[in-house]
């Protein structure tokens, strides 16, 4: 089955983004692009030219960032959002890094170096803690009638990606927030969580 007939470039790395239900594709060549495609329809989503060349590997870390490995320069970088420049994370010790992956057990990126037949391990700080309540005044979250189900009140109903983090910063739930704002934490243990809406740049504190 042909899913995307023409990517307008040379794809060289792919990862599934469950929070946004889309595929992110990294490209080879000068000023290499990262493009996204809706998993259901293959419609193009957010994209950017990264400013680095010849990306050979893409993954997603515990903070929901896209991480890319480039050959020029030999660098590990993060994409926070598609409307701001990439952030270099590791700029030394790499040699033609390729086909990276994130190790969620040990919170680190595994980077094979095709130029030296070695593997570089880069640790990621996944804990974001639970900030004070006044930092979360922008979202109103209340329990729904069902146990462990919550409702977010937004200015207007819309479907938007969401992630729920525990006190250690681990993702316990993610997906597309429906228009009615309901999300389910019934399978999670009692505690304090953080709901994050990345595309709206909004967060809220949840007490289960």
């Amino acid at each position: 089955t042909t899913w995307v007939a023409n990517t307008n470039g040379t794809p060289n790395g792919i990862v599934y983004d469950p929070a946004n239900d889309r595929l992110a594709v990294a490209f080879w060549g000068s000023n290499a692009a990262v493009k996204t495609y809706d998993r259901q329809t293959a419609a193009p989503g957010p994209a950017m030219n990264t400013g680095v060349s010849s990306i050979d590997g893409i993954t997603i870390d515990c903070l929901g960032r896209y991480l890319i490995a480039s050959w020029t320069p030999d660098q590990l970088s993060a994409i926070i959002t598609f409307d701001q420049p990439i952030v270099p994370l590791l700029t030394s010790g790499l040699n033609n890094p390729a086909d990276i992956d994130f190790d969620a057990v040990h919170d680190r990126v595994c980077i094979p170096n095709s130029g030296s037949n070695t593997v570089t391990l880069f640790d990621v700080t996944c804990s974001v803690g639970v900030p004070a309540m006044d930092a979360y005044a922008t979202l109103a979250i209340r329990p729904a009638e069902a146990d462990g189900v919550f409702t977010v009140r937004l200015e207007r109903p819309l479907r938007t990606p969401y992630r729920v983090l525990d006190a250690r910063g681990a993702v316990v739930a993610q997906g597309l927030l429906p228009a009615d704002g309901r999300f389910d934490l019934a399978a999670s243990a009692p505690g304090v969580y953080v709901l994050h809406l990345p595309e709206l740049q909004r967060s809220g504190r949840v007490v289960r």
Side-chain angles (χ1 to χ4, degrees):
T1 300
T2 299
W3 196 61
V4 177
N6 186 357
T7 60
N8 291 303
T10 304
N12 198 40
I14 188 169
V15 67
Y16 174 58
D17 177 357
N20 297 289
D21 198 24
R22 65 191 180 196
L23 296 180
V25 183
F27 284 76
W28 191 255
S30 177
N31 193 18
V34 172
K35 304 177 182 181
T36 62
Y37 301 91
D38 183 271
R39 189 177 67 90
Q40 303 298 328
T41 66
M48 70 180 299
N49 292 322
T50 60
V52 297
S53 295
S54 300
I55 301 173
D56 193 355
I58 182 171
T59 190
I60 299 177
D61 70 3
C62 51
L63 302 176
R65 304 177 298 181
Y66 294 135
L67 305 184
I68 55 174
S70 60
W71 282 30
T72 309
D74 285 314
Q75 182 171 291
L76 176 71
S77 307
I79 298 174
I80 310 300
T81 66
F82 283 90
D83 57 1
Q84 60 181 290
I86 65 174
V87 178
L89 298 179
L90 183 61
T91 59
S92 63
L94 301 181
N95 190 336
N96 296 350
D99 297 328
I100 62 177
D101 201 5
F102 180 70
D103 173 3
V105 175
H106 302 97
D107 296 338
R108 59 191 175 197
V109 189
C110 305
I111 313 165
N113 293 289
S114 63
S116 59
N117 291 326
T118 61
V119 175
T120 299
L121 302 177
F122 177 79
D123 291 330
V124 175
T125 301
C126 294
S127 176
V128 297
V130 180
M133 186 64 182
D134 58 6
Y136 291 93
T138 56
L139 277 182
I141 304 172
R142 63 179 186 273
E145 55 276 4
D147 181 51
V149 179
F150 296 84
T151 301
V152 184
R153 187 173 62 199
L154 299 173
E155 290 82 0
R156 63 184 189 279
L158 51 80
R159 288 170 56 83
T160 187
Y162 79 93
R163 294 198 306 272
V164 179
L165 311 177
D166 66 15
R168 299 179 300 106
V171 177
V172 298
Q174 59 186 350
L176 279 177
L177 188 72
D180 63 7
R182 293 166 64 96
F183 63 97
D184 190 346
L185 291 182
S188 300
V192 179
Y193 298 87
V194 174
L195 170 71
H196 181 49
L197 308 180
E199 291 192 355
L200 302 182
Q201 297 184 343
R202 307 279 291 279
S203 295
R205 193 180 189 200
V206 184
V207 180
R208 165 82 169 90

